[in-house]
Amino acid sequence: MRRSAFRRSRGDGPFRFASTGAGIVLLAIMAAIGVFLVVKAVPALQANTSHFLTELTWQPNATEPVFGIGALAFGTVLSSLLALVIATPVAVGVALFISHYAPRRLASALGYVVDLLAAVPSVVYGLWGVTFLVPFMLGPSKFLNDYLGWIPLFGGDTVVGRSMLTASLVLAIMILPIIAAISREVFLQAPKMQEEAALALGATRWEMIRMSVLPFGRPGVISAAMLGLGRAMGETIAVALIFPATFNISFKILGPYGNSIAANIANGFGEATEVGRGALIASGLILFLITLLVNMAARFVIARRKEYARAAA
């Protein structure tokens, strides 16, 4: 017994050191990224002649630089939230079908397809969106504008294919496999005894899922959704090919409005001056902070209830 305890204590030390070191390295990398962004952004912010957080104009290469993050941050958040609203219900449905409804062979094939879709490069989604989805969305967009134009999101006098809605759909298709794959794995870990007990008491399969599977998998679904939201906020090439690259704030998702921080960086970095590059790095710093806030909010939502906290731990 003394020998086994000695072996355990001898193995715990290196493991504790390695795990602690890994955590410190991760924090150091994040801090280094933040410091780099701040150092590179400060000269451009000092040269800016307007308020960076509220200005809608983006002209950092002018003689008197004028630029702000207001419109870009709005477009980033709105397109990502729309993508999340579209993708999450579909992804949860796909995950439930694979984990609890589909036959085993079909479930394995669908799971493989979902994992494969998650590995498709974003440029492929962007090219597909430009060549197919942009022309296709003209018809549905006009329908929504004609019959649901009284809703502010679908209102406006101009309807185009390269709109906020089209970009959000591309983002939704991109993050759907991520949310579905993680949710599927979480649902498969639901306690089998609780599922069998619910069925034994006369519950239907949907009632069993509602009472046993969904409460258990809710923290995992929230985490998957937040991971997908982070992916949508940071997406670059796909939205850069679709967004009309305007700098205004509008809730009309069918019109020629919309841009994002990542798309603006991709479109403007090649022709930017020194101040322009600093301005783009400053916008990247804002995106970095937004992503951190989103993850902190997700952790807070999960930890609000004790059962969420236990499942997340």
Side-chain angles (χ1 to χ4, degrees), residues 20 40 67 107 169 191-192 230:
T20 304
K40 294 295 184 179
F67 57 90
L169 284 174
K192 298 300 180 183

Side-chain angles (χ1 to χ4, degrees), residues 114-305:
V114 169
D115 295 337
L116 183 64
L117 288 175
V120 174
S122 59
V123 66
V124 175
Y125 287 106
L127 292 174
W128 171 79
V130 170
T131 57
F132 172 77
L133 195 60
V134 168
F136 175 80
M137 284 302 296
L138 280 174
S141 298
K142 291 180 179 178
F143 176 84
L144 292 173
N145 182 257
D146 292 338
Y147 294 97
L148 298 177
W150 51 273
I151 301 176
L153 286 177
F154 304 132
D157 300 327
T158 306
V159 176
V160 297
R162 296 182 62 182
S163 61
M164 178 71 70
L165 178 61
T166 305
S168 299
L169 284 174
V170 172
L171 290 176
I173 295 173
M174 290 181 61
I175 67 176
L176 191 150
I178 299 174
I179 302 175
I182 298 176
S183 300
R184 177 196 67 205
E185 297 301 323
V186 173
F187 293 151
L188 288 173
Q189 301 302 319
K192 298 300 180 183
M193 293 183 61
Q194 295 185 12
E195 296 180 9
E196 295 173 357
L199 294 174
L201 292 174
T204 63
R205 180 170 296 185
W206 163 243
E207 290 174 339
M208 177 270 294
I209 291 174
R210 183 170 55 86
M211 292 185 297
S212 302
V213 179
L214 292 181
F216 175 84
R218 193 172 299 157
V221 173
I222 295 175
S223 300
M226 292 302 104
L227 183 63
L229 181 61
R231 168 73 187 277
M233 285 185 173
E235 180 50 45
T236 305
I237 298 300
V239 293
L241 294 173
I242 297 174
F243 268 138
T246 59
F247 297 92
N248 48 22
I249 293 178
S250 176
F251 285 96
K252 296 178 175 60
I253 63 175
L254 303 179
Y257 316 108
N259 207 344
S260 70
I261 296 175
N264 186 59
I265 293 175
N267 290 329
F269 198 86
E271 301 176 354
T273 62
E274 184 176 354
V275 175
R277 287 192 293 271
L280 293 173
I281 292 175
S283 66
L285 175 62
I286 297 299
L287 181 60
F288 180 72
L289 295 176
I290 292 175
T291 305
L292 287 180
L293 291 176
V294 167
N295 283 277
M296 291 172 60
R299 296 299 303 174
F300 175 75
V301 171
I302 294 174
R304 282 188 64 182
R305 299 182 182 178

Side-chain angles (χ1 to χ4, degrees), residues 21-48:
I24 294 175
V25 169
L26 178 61
L27 293 177
I29 292 174
M30 294 183 62
I33 293 174
V35 170
F36 169 81
L37 294 175
V38 171
V39 170
K40 294 295 184 179
V42 166
L45 295 176
Q46 291 176 343
N48 189 16

